[in-house]
Amino acid sequence: MSLTEIAIKRPSLIVVIFAVLTFLGYFSYTMLGYELLPKMDFPVFNVMTFYPGASPSEVENSVTKKIEDAVASLENIEGIRSYSQESVSLVFVQLKPGTPTDKIMADAQRKVNAIVAMLPKDVKSPSLNKVNFSEMPIMRIGITAKLSPTELYDVVKQRVQPALSKLSGVG
């Protein structure tokens, strides 16, 4: 018996088959997971070091360059960017795609710990952080008004912030 003969002789069977396929399709569609911003894992981490009271040039010469030299010997590095600001040194390390970030971060932690003794006394211990773009805020909001700064702060703290924190999906 061919498919055509079955469709002609038993039309109720065809209706049942299509009803089952429609139900399964609808059920599968409702179970689909989707996100507006998919999880992305970029192989990037940073080394942040605080040097209280130091000028940007002092931070660069005594902290940033030493940390750059220490992490430059790691494997699979695509690029290093550093920023020296007043009292803060930031070194961003970008790895080649597909590199296991956790393993490289452990190696980087060992290298940074090895040079801590060569840093000035007032430097706080460097911290390594994995850059996770899916945890970054989507929007930042600023507020201006014709109020004094203390009044505006009170309005935002007592009215605006509680109202925004009650919304679903707001962190």
Side-chain angles (χ1 to χ4, degrees):
M1 229 184 233
S2 69
L3 183 62
T4 312
E5 288 179 47
I6 294 174
I8 294 172
K9 290 182 179 176
R10 299 177 182 242
S12 59
L13 178 66
I14 300 301
V15 170
V16 168
I17 289 174
F18 275 100
V20 167
L21 288 175
T22 303
F23 173 74
L24 289 175
Y26 178 75
F27 178 74
S28 299
Y29 177 74
T30 59
M31 299 304 289
L32 267 175
Y34 66 92
E35 292 184 30
L36 296 176
L37 295 173
K39 292 182 182 176
M40 298 180 288
D41 187 25
F42 292 106
V44 177
F45 68 92
N46 68 5
V47 182
M48 185 184 311
T49 312
F50 291 102
Y51 186 8
S55 67
S57 61
E58 187 177 350
V59 170
E60 182 177 4
N61 292 328
S62 59
V63 179
T64 305
K65 286 186 179 181
K66 291 179 182 178
I67 292 175
E68 280 180 347
D69 292 341
V71 297
S73 62
L74 294 171
E75 296 177 359
N76 296 323
I77 290 182
E78 192 168 283
I80 297 176
R81 285 197 178 143
S82 62
Y83 302 97
S84 298
Q85 300 171 352
E86 188 172 333
S87 304
V88 179
S89 166
L90 279 168
V91 178
F92 288 92
V93 180
Q94 183 177 2
L95 305 171
K96 292 180 182 173
T99 304
T101 310
D102 296 331
K103 180 182 179 290
I104 300 294
M105 278 184 65
D107 293 342
Q109 183 70 52
R110 277 188 239 113
K111 299 231 182 217
V112 169
N113 288 342
I115 64 152
V116 166
M118 297 186 323
L119 299 176
K121 282 184 179 180
D122 296 337
V123 172
K124 308 290 183 199
S125 73
S127 64
L128 275 78
N129 303 308
K130 187 176 180 181
V131 176
N132 192 351
F133 292 105
S134 61
E135 292 178 1
M136 290 186 174
I138 295 173
M139 181 181 357
R140 292 181 187 256
I141 299 174
I143 295 178
T144 60
K146 294 181 180 179
L147 298 172
S148 70
T150 55
E151 289 174 332
L152 181 61
Y153 178 80
D154 289 340
V155 168
V156 170
K157 198 72 172 165
Q158 295 171 1
R159 291 185 187 167
V160 178
Q161 185 180 9
L164 287 176
S165 65
K166 290 179 184 175
L167 297 174
S168 65
V170 176

